[in-house]
Amino acid sequence: MVQFLIPMLLGFSVFMCGMKLMELALHRLAGPYLTRMLERSTATPIHGLAIGTVTTAFLQSSTAVTVISIGMVNAGLLTFPRTLGIILGTNIGTCITTELIGLNLNKLALPLLIVSIGLWLATALLGEIRLFPAIRSAGWLHSLRSSSVVLCGFALLLTGMAMMQGVGPAVQESTMFAWFLDKADDSLWWGLAAGALLTAAVHSSAAVIGIIMGFVSLGAMPIELGIAVVLGANIGTCATALLASIGGTKAGQYVAWSHVILNAGGALLFMPFIGELADLSAWISSSTPGQIAHTQTIFNILSSLIALPFCYLRVFRKLDPVT
């Protein structure tokens, strides 16, 4: 148990540190602009979907955009109907992270980390040189420094993912994992439940999906079970939004619950078609990590497009955004 638990926790810590560094640095780069964009460019659900996709792809966090949206609704800056498209877009934009992980770029972690540290040190030195006051106050210098932090975060993300995937053989030999596989042989719903619970616990669907990529690539888990876990991870990622909505307005709670309905409804809709999702992803890519990433992308795009027409129903416009 200890032989894989400690490396797993250490790898997860490095992964989450990288994710948070990326999120905070990207938010510092363009957070105010993205907030104004959300406020001004969500007149229709299709506009909200586009903006939600772009902002989530940029911030690398669907949870961050969802929580920002809940905060803006609670503050009266956005109405609940105008957030529906944003919620759909966040699910599409978050696929960028899993697609990058699916490319298996772990070998680039160390070079990226060295480059990022070099860039940060260069910007720090330029900022301290008193001979060039114009450089010290230049906006591009601050942007470059934030970009180096983003790069460092991505390198740590890859490092943490490699560490977590490295314990795959030890996990494969554990009795608990064997018990889980035995149960999943009878029903893939065990995979859905496991994905939802794990993601709700760690607050990161990308981390859970990345671990599953490692298990599937090692042959420790059939790809159909991996896809079921991915569908469950999309349900579990709603936990943070629900926590953020506690104590807020009814409209803010509507935003969180609409996220739950979209992800849970989509997962339940696609559970009977796991075989078809596996065949389609295998047709797109021969790499098993890539197949898991593509399944996540296909699922989120189709779920959002299916749900988009319902966002235009008049019943949503009648909901009071304040009470």
Side-chain angles (χ1 to χ4, degrees):
M1 188 73 172
V2 177
Q3 62 183 341
F4 68 81
L5 186 59
I6 293 178
M8 178 70 76
L9 290 176
L10 183 59
F12 177 73
S13 300
V14 175
F15 178 90
M16 291 305 297
C17 179
M19 283 286 288
K20 287 302 177 183
L21 273 179
M22 288 178 63
E23 182 181 330
L24 292 173
L26 287 168
H27 200 281
R28 184 178 181 182
L29 270 172
Y33 305 103
L34 294 178
T35 302
R36 286 198 293 269
M37 189 185 301
L38 289 174
E39 183 179 353
R40 299 175 182 176
S41 307
T42 55
T44 65
I46 189 67
H47 287 126
L49 183 144
I51 296 302
T53 300
V54 172
T55 52
T56 304
F58 190 86
L59 287 180
Q60 292 291 293
S61 174
S62 61
T63 300
V65 177
T66 303
V67 170
I68 289 173
S69 299
I70 292 173
M72 294 178 70
V73 169
N74 287 335
L77 299 175
L78 277 180
T79 60
F80 163 65
R82 294 181 69 177
T83 64
L84 291 174
I86 297 174
I87 298 302
L88 300 182
T90 58
N91 281 2
I92 298 177
T94 195
C95 298
I96 298 296
T97 305
T98 50
E99 288 289 350
L100 288 173
I101 295 173
L103 291 175
N104 198 19
L105 303 174
N106 295 343
K107 294 180 180 179
L108 297 178
L110 184 58
L112 288 176
L113 187 61
I114 294 173
V115 170
S116 65
I117 293 175
L119 279 175
W120 189 90
L121 289 175
T123 57
L125 288 174
L126 286 173
E128 292 298 324
I129 296 176
R130 297 185 178 183
L131 297 178
F132 306 102
I135 293 180
R136 294 179 64 187
S137 60
W140 64 266
L141 187 62
H142 299 288
S143 298
L144 185 60
R145 182 176 299 180
S146 296
S147 299
S148 68
V149 176
V150 172
L151 196 60
C152 178
F154 184 61
L156 291 176
L157 183 150
L158 294 177
T159 302
M161 188 56 60
M163 293 171 67
M164 288 189 290
Q165 292 178 350
V167 302
V171 173
Q172 190 175 357
E173 296 174 0
S174 68
T175 55
M176 184 180 296
F177 189 72
W179 175 86
F180 171 70
L181 289 180
D182 184 59
K183 290 292 184 181
D185 281 339
D186 297 330
S187 175
L188 291 176
W189 290 95
W190 283 91
L192 182 84
L197 291 174
L198 283 173
T199 305
V202 303
H203 297 283
S204 174
S205 60
V208 173
I209 294 172
I211 294 171
I212 296 305
M213 288 179 184
F215 288 163
V216 173
S217 64
L218 289 171
M221 179 182 292
I223 190 162
E224 290 79 9
L225 177 57
I227 292 174
V229 176
V230 168
L231 296 183
N234 283 275
I235 300 176
T237 194
C238 303
T240 306
L242 287 174
L243 290 174
S245 68
I246 295 175
T249 63
K250 284 187 177 180
Q253 294 171 10
Y254 290 157
V255 176
W257 281 107
S258 65
H259 195 199
V260 174
I261 292 171
L262 168 67
N263 287 16
L268 295 176
L269 178 64
F270 280 93
M271 272 297 289
F273 303 103
I274 284 181
E276 287 73 13
L277 285 173
D279 293 339
L280 181 57
S281 62
W283 178 73
I284 297 173
S285 173
S286 59
S287 164
T288 48
Q291 289 173 24
I292 294 293
H294 298 333
T295 298
Q296 162 83 340
T297 302
I298 293 168
F299 162 73
N300 280 324
I301 291 176
L302 290 180
S303 295
S304 295
L305 292 179
I306 291 171
L308 182 61
F310 294 97
C311 297
Y312 286 88
L313 295 176
R314 291 184 178 181
V315 64
F316 294 120
R317 301 178 187 176
K318 297 179 182 179
L319 293 176
D320 189 345
V322 178
T323 59

